[in-house]
Amino acid sequence: MARPNQARLSLQALRHNMEVVRQLAPRSKVMAVVKANAYGHGALAVAQTLAPLVDALAVACIEEAQVLRDGGIEAPILLLEGAFEETELAAAAARDFWVTIDNERQLQWLERARLPRPLCCWLKIDTGMRRLGVDPAQAALFYQRLTASANARDDIVLSTHFASADDLDSDQTSAQLEQFEASCADLPGPRSAANSAGVLAWPASHYDWVRPGYMLYGNSPMISDHPAARTLRPVMTLVSAVISLRDVAVGETVGYGATWTASRPSRIATVCIGYGDGYPRLAPAGTPVLVNGRRAPLAGRVSMDMITVDVTELPGTSIGDEVILWGDGLPVAEVARHAGTIGYELTTRMPARTPRVVADS
């Protein structure tokens, strides 16, 4: 019998979240971001579901794009970080990948390349993220060079990326939008700025293309509660099961390092999941899980293959009972806060050891 841990995926929830994007940005084209193995959910399964519903897909690099093409995905695919080597441009042209241009070297590669067909290029402008993108003062020159190149299609997209759109109390997003507008004022063509937080909370950023990622998987990128995010449904539910039960007397300890001590006669359930399965090692005692739909706190340290849970308040708990670590009924963001991280990291770090199982179609 297989270990009971698995990441259950709801394709119905994925399609629902996509519909939320369409409702929030009805006049924009949608580019679904499926980088990092679709945020840990399984890139091919996610892309197969989303491709008929979106206008394009986006990944970080050409290796991720090739996995999708090899799996039969025919939709346009943008390389968000562009080419890392000059030879990648020919491969992109051969397989109809779109490319980001964000620096002088990438532009020079494009200008001198010998390609079988011109590429759709996204010109990235750095409006405040200070990570990738051309200086706003150079945007017009880069645009002119792209339009002059036979290797660039006419439909050049102007794009930028937000640094603080998840924080509605920050004025950085408004400043970035002003900078983007100024940089693009005299340049024709479609524009793109909105990531998931932009889609949810900054309507002025929707422009011609939106690029939702994290929200498609049912998770809110916002720092504080936002009404639009409440409609999202988690795509991944990480589940396992109770594999052992024992009574622990007052004063006895549980787990590595004896960091948890029973302050009352306690009932401890051992659950078959650990950091080797993608559950965060830094989740402290008190982090909630759901046992048969009811909350119970971790007791002791997370180990490689197991966790221990205090089920004293859950009489009737039995070996084989289902345990939800995050997902349906327990947001991944809540678990992440206990572990001192963000939900993005928890899902993208989900290892192959934990099987992805489609729970509905």
Side-chain angles (χ1 to χ4, degrees):
M1 181 178 293
R3 295 177 76 232
N5 61 306
Q6 58 182 228
R8 293 180 185 160
L9 305 179
S10 170
L11 301 183
Q12 290 181 8
L14 183 64
R15 286 189 288 266
H16 166 82
N17 298 333
M18 182 58 239
E19 180 58 29
V20 172
V21 173
R22 289 289 189 192
Q23 292 171 359
L24 291 170
R27 290 179 293 277
S28 303
K29 292 183 177 180
V30 178
M31 173 173 282
V33 181
V34 295
K35 63 180 180 177
N37 198 28
Y39 292 61
H41 292 67
L44 189 54
V46 167
Q48 288 169 338
T49 301
L50 289 179
L53 308 177
V54 301
D55 302 283
L57 303 169
V59 295
C61 57
I62 197 166
E63 291 84 0
E64 292 181 337
Q66 288 169 336
V67 169
L68 299 183
R69 279 285 183 268
D70 292 344
I73 300 300
E74 298 179 355
I77 303 173
L78 173 66
L79 311 183
L80 289 168
E81 296 177 26
F84 292 95
E85 297 179 0
E86 191 168 0
T87 56
E88 291 181 359
L89 293 176
R95 307 204 76 175
D96 195 25
F97 299 147
W98 298 357
V99 297
T100 297
I101 301 294
D102 81 87
N103 60 58
E104 175 68 23
R105 184 173 72 159
Q106 289 179 337
L107 181 55
Q108 288 181 0
W109 286 348
L110 182 76
E111 288 174 325
R112 68 188 182 214
R114 303 183 67 176
L115 303 178
R117 71 184 78 174
L119 294 167
C120 176
C121 297
W122 284 49
L123 176 59
K124 189 162 193 175
I125 303 170
D126 181 8
T127 59
M129 186 68 166
R130 306 293 183 258
R131 196 175 60 175
L132 297 178
V134 304
D135 186 280
Q138 295 295 311
L141 176 60
F142 269 67
Y143 189 89
Q144 291 165 7
R145 288 170 63 183
L146 283 171
T147 57
S149 173
N151 288 326
R153 285 175 18 188
D154 294 336
D155 52 347
I156 299 165
V157 179
L158 299 159
S159 69
T160 194
H161 191 59
F162 294 135
S164 304
D166 58 341
D167 183 1
L168 295 180
D169 293 326
S170 171
D171 60 4
Q172 186 175 16
T173 303
S174 295
Q176 284 192 258
L177 283 169
E178 290 180 12
Q179 179 69 81
F180 188 54
E181 292 278 358
S183 302
C184 301
D186 298 321
L187 303 178
R191 304 177 186 181
S192 177
N195 54 4
S196 287
V199 173
L200 288 165
W202 299 90
S205 74
H206 291 173
Y207 295 115
D208 303 284
W209 283 90
V210 294
R211 309 187 308 270
Y214 194 53
M215 69 176 295
L216 290 176
Y217 307 101
N219 305 311
S220 174
M222 308 305 294
I223 289 176
S224 56
D225 181 50
H226 192 279
R230 295 176 202 154
T231 63
L232 301 173
R233 299 176 186 170
V235 174
M236 177 190 291
T237 298
L238 182 61
V239 301
S240 189
V242 174
I243 60 170
S244 182
L245 287 161
R246 68 202 58 249
D247 294 315
V248 176
V250 174
E252 291 184 337
T253 63
V254 173
Y256 285 122
T259 59
W260 188 90
T261 303
S263 59
R264 61 179 180 179
S266 301
R267 185 75 164 161
I268 299 297
T270 299
V271 179
C272 183
I273 201 159
Y275 60 79
D277 306 293
Y279 193 77
R281 181 181 179 275
L282 295 181
T287 302
V289 304
L290 299 180
V291 180
N292 291 328
R294 297 179 294 172
R295 288 190 170 225
L298 292 191
R301 289 181 180 171
V302 175
S303 56
M304 185 182 296
D305 309 309
M306 290 171 279
I307 58 173
T308 41
V309 178
D310 183 356
V311 293
T312 309
E313 300 296 326
L314 303 182
T317 299
S318 302
I319 292 176
D321 285 350
E322 182 178 82
V323 179
I324 291 177
L325 292 311
W326 66 65
D328 190 13
L330 180 60
V332 67
E334 182 177 352
V335 178
R337 283 194 296 271
H338 281 272
T341 185
I342 55 177
Y344 296 75
E345 182 178 26
L346 297 189
T347 62
T348 58
R349 283 194 168 191
M350 187 63 56
R353 185 192 198 196
T354 299
R356 279 68 165 173
V357 178
V358 175
D360 60 53
S361 59

